[in-house]
């Protein structure tokens, strides 16, 4: 499948390299606001087309799919353009700023007979599937604690007075929709949508959250999610059942899983060794869904993205975090 990319950051390069390793997708075109940057990346990865005009790129009939890694606030308009030109769209997380955008985009995808995916890499790995099976067999759950706290070098720029996109409401930034969507997506994948959520952020003067704690209430247990781009964590994530606990080294990706018996304290190591670039798993799954027209699995992914976005939108509303696209 021939694909194009929107954006020339490191995440785009990681996707291109994963696509090449997968053997499922071939880079055909690169877009950047700077034609020089587009041409440079296209030449690096042997793509024939380089664009600084999105409309021109969307009209290219050789392109079958597009990977979008533009700033969060631009995802919606970019996705709509390519969907209307009957291109499958893989949009980097967070897929959109709010659920209104999401529902419109999915409708456009359906009307044009194409697929719209969110590139939420952690839920597509083999270890996520292993973890889900273990959760289903673990018996009664009572609590879970997932986290993604990673100090960002862009926070140093923020402290110097700059306003990187990820710390700007105008670009739909903030930690919850950046790092937070990884543990949230894992929770929704494993447990479904919660009955209630309560978000307690550490706000920055720019109007977005730099750190925060999200409490997700389920019937009989609570999942607590910690996320931060202004501090760092060195502890594991855990799921606590009445009989066993599951210990995860990380939520994106889950590299190691330990199943610990409450009574004996014995630990069993689970999980597979993953590719260095774990984006390969989502690429293989997305292309499989397209090639086989697997509407059942696709609908599950749509529901997962919808659920994650409902949670982050609710959490933002609780704290008056308003994005530029919503003003």
């Amino acid at each position: 499948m021939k694909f194009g990319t929107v954006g020339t950051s490191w995440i785009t390069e990681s996707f291109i390299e994963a696509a090449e390793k997968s053997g499922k997708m071939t880079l055909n075109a690169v877009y950047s606001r700077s034609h020089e940057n587009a041409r440079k990346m296209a030449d690096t990865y042997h793509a024939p087309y380089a664009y600084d005009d999105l409309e021109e790129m969307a009209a290219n009939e050789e392109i079958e799919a597009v990977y979008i890694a533009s700033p969060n606030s631009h995802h919606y308009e970019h996705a709509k353009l390519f969907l209307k030109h009957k291109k499958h769209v893989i949009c980097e997380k967070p897929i959109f700023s709010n659920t209104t955008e999401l529902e419109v985009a999915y409708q456009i995808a359906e009307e044009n007979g194409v697929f719209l995916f969110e590139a939420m890499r952690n839920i597509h790995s083999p270890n996520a599937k292993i973890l889900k099976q273990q959760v289903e067999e673990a018996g009664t759950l009572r609590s879970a604690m997932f986290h993604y706290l990673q100090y960002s070098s862009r926070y140093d720029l923020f402290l110097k007075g700059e306003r990187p996109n990820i710390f700007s409401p105008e670009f739909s930034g903030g930690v919850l929709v950046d790092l937070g969507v990884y543990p949230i997506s894992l929770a929704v994948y494993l447990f479904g949508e919660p009955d209630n959520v309560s978000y307690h952020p550490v706000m920055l003067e720019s109007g977005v959250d730099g750190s925060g704690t999200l409490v997700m209430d389920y019937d009989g247990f609570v999942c607590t999610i910690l996320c931060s781009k202004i501090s760092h964590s060195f502890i594991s994530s855990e799921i606590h059942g009445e009989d066993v606990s599951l210990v995860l080294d990380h939520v994106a990706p889950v590299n190691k899983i330990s199943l610990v018996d409450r009574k004996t304290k014995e630990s069993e190591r689970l999980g597979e060794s993953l590719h260095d670039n774990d984006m390969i798993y989502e690429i293989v799954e997305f292309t499989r869904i397209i090639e086989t027209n697997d509407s059942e699995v696709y609908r599950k992914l749509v529901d997962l993205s919808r659920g994650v976005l409902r949670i982050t939108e609710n959490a933002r509303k609780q704290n008056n975090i308003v994005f530029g696209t919503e003003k």
Side-chain angles (χ1 to χ4, degrees):
M1 180 177 295
K2 294 180 179 180
F3 76 103
T5 61
V6 177
T8 53
S9 67
W10 68 269
I11 193 70
T12 304
E13 293 193 77
S14 293
F15 186 90
I16 293 170
E17 291 165 4
E20 183 177 350
K21 289 179 181 178
S22 75
K24 297 292 185 178
M25 301 180 75
T26 301
L27 183 66
N28 186 256
V30 174
Y31 166 84
S32 172
R33 290 174 297 173
S34 162
H35 190 270
E36 180 181 355
N37 289 342
R39 184 72 267 167
K40 181 178 178 181
M41 179 171 280
D43 289 344
T44 298
Y45 294 101
H46 313 294
Y49 299 105
Y51 295 99
D52 59 4
D53 185 312
L54 278 174
E55 292 281 354
E56 186 179 348
M57 178 175 169
N60 185 336
E61 295 184 357
E62 292 184 38
I63 300 171
E64 300 169 88
V66 177
Y67 170 71
I68 296 175
S70 50
N72 297 346
S73 55
H74 294 8
H75 287 181
Y76 178 56
E77 293 300 331
H78 290 172
K80 284 198 303 179
L81 172 64
F82 288 104
L83 292 171
K84 289 178 179 178
H85 280 79
K86 302 186 184 304
K87 316 295 186 189
H88 304 292
V89 169
I90 301 171
C91 191
E92 189 53 57
K93 63 80 192 167
I95 187 166
F96 299 124
S97 298
N98 53 57
T99 54
T100 299
E101 294 180 351
L102 180 114
E103 299 304 339
V104 172
Y106 276 131
Q107 181 63 36
I108 294 172
E110 187 171 340
E111 290 171 355
N112 286 275
V114 290
F115 292 96
L116 169 59
F117 301 103
E118 181 172 21
M120 194 70 73
R121 58 187 174 82
N122 59 329
I123 64 166
H124 294 285
S125 77
N127 288 345
K129 295 176 175 62
I130 291 171
L131 180 61
K132 187 173 179 64
Q133 180 180 353
Q134 291 300 318
V135 165
E136 292 171 351
E137 298 173 356
T140 304
L141 301 180
R142 289 307 183 193
S143 60
M145 191 278 286
F146 294 161
H147 68 83
Y148 202 150
L149 294 87
Q150 182 172 288
Y151 189 93
S152 172
S153 60
R154 286 174 289 181
Y155 184 54
D156 293 332
L157 300 176
F158 181 88
L159 293 175
K160 293 177 182 178
E162 297 183 30
R163 289 296 175 266
N165 293 351
I166 200 59
F167 292 118
S168 166
E170 295 306 314
F171 288 94
S172 301
V175 68
L176 189 68
V177 299
D178 182 50
L179 297 185
V181 294
Y182 285 120
I184 294 172
S185 66
L186 186 61
V188 174
Y189 174 71
L190 295 174
F191 314 129
E193 284 191 64
D195 298 324
N196 297 288
V197 299
S198 177
Y199 187 49
H200 309 274
V202 174
M203 296 296 296
L204 303 178
E205 56 86 16
S206 62
V208 299
D209 48 333
S211 180
T213 301
L214 179 73
V215 180
M216 301 169 63
D217 294 318
Y218 291 87
D219 183 17
F221 76 101
V222 173
C223 178
T224 303
I225 287 175
L226 309 177
C227 52
S228 179
K229 292 184 75 70
I230 60 176
S231 59
H232 206 89
S233 175
F234 302 92
I235 62 174
S236 302
S237 290
E238 295 183 335
I239 301 169
H240 314 114
E242 291 187 349
D243 298 317
V244 298
S245 292
L246 291 156
V247 182
L248 321 177
D249 69 322
H250 206 295
V251 296
V254 178
N255 291 299
K256 299 176 183 177
I257 307 168
S258 296
L259 179 68
V260 185
D261 186 275
R262 174 182 61 82
K263 294 179 181 179
T264 65
K265 306 300 187 295
E266 292 182 355
S267 177
E268 178 184 358
R269 179 66 63 84
L270 307 171
E272 300 180 8
S273 297
L274 303 181
H275 286 282
D276 291 338
N277 187 337
D278 65 318
M279 298 177 87
I280 192 171
Y281 301 111
E282 63 185 8
I283 291 169
V284 169
E285 180 65 353
F286 296 158
T287 53
R288 186 197 67 79
I289 290 171
I290 293 170
E291 290 168 355
T292 63
N293 194 30
D294 191 340
S295 59
E296 181 179 354
V297 172
Y298 176 63
R299 290 301 170 190
K300 289 181 180 178
L301 294 179
V302 170
D303 288 341
L304 192 147
S305 291
R306 182 181 286 122
V308 172
L309 197 49
R310 274 199 285 244
I311 290 167
T312 59
E313 187 174 25
N314 187 354
R316 288 193 299 109
K317 286 181 178 179
Q318 291 176 14
N319 294 276
N320 196 33
I321 301 173
V322 181
F323 290 154
T325 59
E326 300 167 327
K327 293 179 180 176

